[in-house]
């Protein structure tokens, strides 16, 4: 697997692939790859001739008091994992090349980014859509692959690609979980063994909410939300940031749990912020 750091070298590789009539799949990541990322690399590899995995810890999507500096990084291991999963090229640009002095352009998707994580992380999605737009321009992928764990991000990027007539198909892969239900995330590496056990509360709360809807036929949004709050409240190491039950297509508010519904939550376990979600068809 080839590593490319320079923007011009990347453009050269893209040009070569296009000339040979090869399709390009892009898996954008911030590295510290886990099975969630690798499942996307495998999907890309089964669909596209050339699979580009980008590894870039994007400073502009982190708030001032967030974990940009501490974000886990392990390029050697990423390279090996991505290669084994079918990646062809790893694109690791430098911050100074992505955002050189004088950089002044940002992309913002309205409405979809206002609630959920957007309400708690001002500027986060603006940073995400800006970097993803730049990656799309550089890599010119036919398809780009994102994980459903970041449900709001996936919907936001789909909206951006559609609204700005981008010539790319955005695909979304399922949440990948550990055996005990904890969703894979690079940030799980911050958790102590005790916190890792406590992190199970996210999936447990989502599962209880799902059962309340599917089995007990409880369709009142407030009651389902209360069930999540009670479950998370019962875990001493967990602090709920939000639990939202919204329309799964556009994240708008709903008055009852009917149709395509997204249940999403963000929970702090110690100082680590974790998110998870479940889509229900009711
Ligand atoms: O999901 C992520 O890892 C990041 O938000 C992304 C899409 C790679 C943009 O930096």
């Amino acid at each position: 697997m080839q590593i490319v750091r320079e923007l011009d070298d990347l453009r050269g590789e893209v040009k070569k692939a296009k000339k040979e009539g090869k399709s390009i799949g892009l898996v954008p990541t911030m590295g510290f790859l886990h099975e969630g990322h690798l499942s996307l690399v495998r999907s890309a590899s089964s669909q596209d001739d050339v699979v580009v995995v980008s590894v870039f810890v994007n400073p502009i999507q982190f708030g001032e008091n967030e974990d940009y500096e501490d974000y886990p990084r392990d390029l050697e291991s990423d390279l090996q994992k991505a290669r084994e999963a079918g990646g062809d090229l790893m694109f690791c640009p430098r911050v100074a090349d992505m955002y050189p002095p004088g950089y002044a352009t940002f992309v913002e998707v309205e409405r979809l980014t206002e609630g959920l994580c957007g309400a708690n992380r001002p500027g986060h999605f603006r940073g995400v859509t800006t970097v993803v737009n730049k990656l799309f321009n550089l890599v010119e992928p036919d398809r780009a692959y994102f994980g459903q764990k970041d449900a709001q991000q996936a919907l936001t990027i789909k909206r951006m690609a559609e609204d700005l007539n981008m010539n790319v198909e955005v695909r979304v892969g399922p949440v990948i979980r550990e055996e005990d239900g904890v969703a894979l995330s690079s940030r799980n590496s911050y958790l102590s063994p005790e916190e890792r056990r406590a992190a199970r509360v996210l999936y447990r709360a989502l599962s209880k909410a799902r059962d309340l809807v599917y089995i007990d036929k409880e369709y009142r949004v407030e009651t389902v939300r209360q069930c999540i709050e009670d479950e998370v409240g019962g875990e001493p190491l967990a602090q709920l940031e939000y639990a939202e039950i919204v329309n799964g297509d556009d994240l708008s508010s709903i008055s009852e749990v009917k149709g395509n519904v997204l249940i999403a939550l963000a929970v702090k376990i110690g100082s680590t912020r974790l998110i998870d979600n479940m889509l229900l068809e009711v």
Side-chain angles (χ1 to χ4, degrees), residues 28-30 37 56 58 61 71 124 128 131-132 146 150 153 157:
T29 81
M30 298 205 298
H37 300 114
F56 179 64
N58 176 34
Q61 71 185 72
Y71 198 83
H124 168 68
V128 170
V131 80
V132 170
F146 297 86
D150 297 291
Q153 168 174 284
I157 289 167

Side-chain angles (χ1 to χ4, degrees), residues 41-59:
V41 177
R42 281 187 212 104
S43 291
S45 164
S46 70
Q47 285 292 319
D48 293 296
D49 301 319
V50 176
V51 176
V52 177
V53 180
S54 63
V55 172
F56 179 64
V57 185
N58 176 34

Side-chain angles (χ1 to χ4, degrees), residues 12 23 38 43 46 49 54 92 130 159 165 222:
S23 69
L38 300 178
S43 291
S46 70
D49 301 319
S54 63
C92 314
T130 299
R159 183 80 263 158
N165 310 101
E222 273 319 312

Side-chain angles (χ1 to χ4, degrees), residues 172-192:
V172 181
V175 183
I176 307 293
R177 301 183 181 282
E178 305 265 18
E179 260 181 34
D180 63 358
V182 172
L184 291 178
S185 162
S186 305
R187 289 190 170 97
N188 291 350
S189 66
Y190 297 146
L191 302 171
S192 68

Side-chain angles (χ1 to χ4, degrees), residues 84-111:
E84 283 167 12
D88 298 299
L89 190 152
M90 187 166 271
F91 177 46
C92 314
R94 293 182 201 90
V95 172
D97 292 333
M98 291 294 271
Y99 304 114
Y103 188 89
T105 305
F106 298 88
V107 178
E108 199 152 5
V109 173
E110 295 180 359
R111 285 194 298 280

Side-chain angles (χ1 to χ4, degrees), residues 155-211:
L155 282 173
T156 299
I157 289 167
K158 275 191 166 180
R159 183 80 263 158
M160 172 185 77
E162 199 176 321
D163 288 354
L164 297 182
N165 310 101
M166 294 175 167
N167 201 13
V168 55
E169 184 190 332
V170 176
R171 296 214 173 173
V172 181
V175 183
I176 307 293
R177 301 183 181 282
E178 305 265 18
E179 260 181 34
D180 63 358
V182 172
L184 291 178
S185 162
S186 305
R187 289 190 170 97
N188 291 350
S189 66
Y190 297 146
L191 302 171
S192 68
E194 204 187 342
E195 289 172 338
R196 173 62 186 74
R197 264 192 303 281
R200 294 179 189 162
V201 75
L202 281 86
Y203 185 63
R204 210 162 58 231
L206 288 169
S207 304
K208 285 212 163 168
R210 177 200 56 206
D211 292 350

